[in-house]
Amino acid sequence: MFRSLRENGPALLVPAAWSVVAATVLGLVSTHALFVAHVVMSVLLVAFVVASWRDMAAGALRTWKFVIVAGTPVTLAGVAGFLARGDAVPALAAAVPADALLAVAFYGWLLLPAPAFVDTGRRDPKTARRAVHYVAAACSVAGAGVALVATSPTQVVAGVALVAVGQTAGILAATLLY
């Protein structure tokens, strides 16, 4: 059962994570809930990479292992960003602006998967799936660009939605591949 969850969990977690982000941007979910999601995701990322380390030793899975390893401190930057807000951890708030830490987490996860989708697409023998991986990479970059230039929460959510659709499709295609 754990192996099945490990193999298929990302296909569920990716859209769930981006849905929580979008709902938080729109004020439908509290920032505390997003903070808790960052803490949970940090634990899950570490558990996943430890449990999968040997299975992710070569090929596209090795690339994804690097994404997870790099994504863990990116996610922890989000945790620190939430702790730096207000007076939760005054020393942290004085040392690093909360918004900078939160931006690292946000833009990090918008963009980190893009090179891995390209690598997965390059290795995928099926043309249709290969295209999905490349589109996922393009959606990650384009969505980050939309979010970067956004002037309203709705526009930020449009960027997040573009990323969510692309990354979810890419993860689903990768799940079918492996």
Side-chain angles (χ1 to χ4, degrees):
M1 180 175 151
F2 179 72
R3 184 169 181 86
S4 178
L5 184 60
R6 190 180 61 172
E7 290 172 354
N8 299 303
L12 300 171
L13 292 174
V14 168
W18 287 123
S19 295
V20 171
V21 170
T24 304
V25 170
L26 293 174
L28 303 172
V29 171
S30 71
T31 55
H32 180 72
L34 188 56
F35 164 71
V36 171
H38 274 74
V39 172
V40 170
M41 193 54 63
S42 296
V43 171
L44 289 175
L45 286 168
V46 171
F48 183 85
V49 80
V50 167
S52 304
W53 193 265
R54 283 185 287 199
D55 295 335
M56 300 178 84
L61 290 176
R62 184 170 187 246
T63 304
W64 283 103
K65 178 171 62 174
F66 291 136
V67 170
I68 296 165
V69 169
T72 300
V74 165
T75 307
L76 289 170
V79 171
F82 284 112
L83 292 174
R85 282 188 151 180
D87 293 325
V89 181
L92 183 59
V96 183
D99 288 344
L101 292 167
L102 293 170
V104 166
F106 181 65
Y107 289 102
W109 278 113
L110 291 172
L111 294 169
L112 264 174
F117 282 124
V118 170
D119 183 58
T120 304
R122 185 178 61 80
R123 296 169 188 273
D124 196 327
K126 297 215 179 207
T127 303
R129 250 190 346 234
R130 184 179 315 127
V132 172
H133 299 303
Y134 292 146
V135 168
C139 286
S140 293
V141 174
V146 169
L148 183 65
V149 300
T151 58
S152 72
T154 304
Q155 291 173 352
V156 172
V157 169
V160 169
L162 184 57
V163 169
V165 167
Q167 289 184 0
T168 299
I171 290 297
L172 287 171
T175 300
L176 293 173
L177 176 62
Y178 294 99

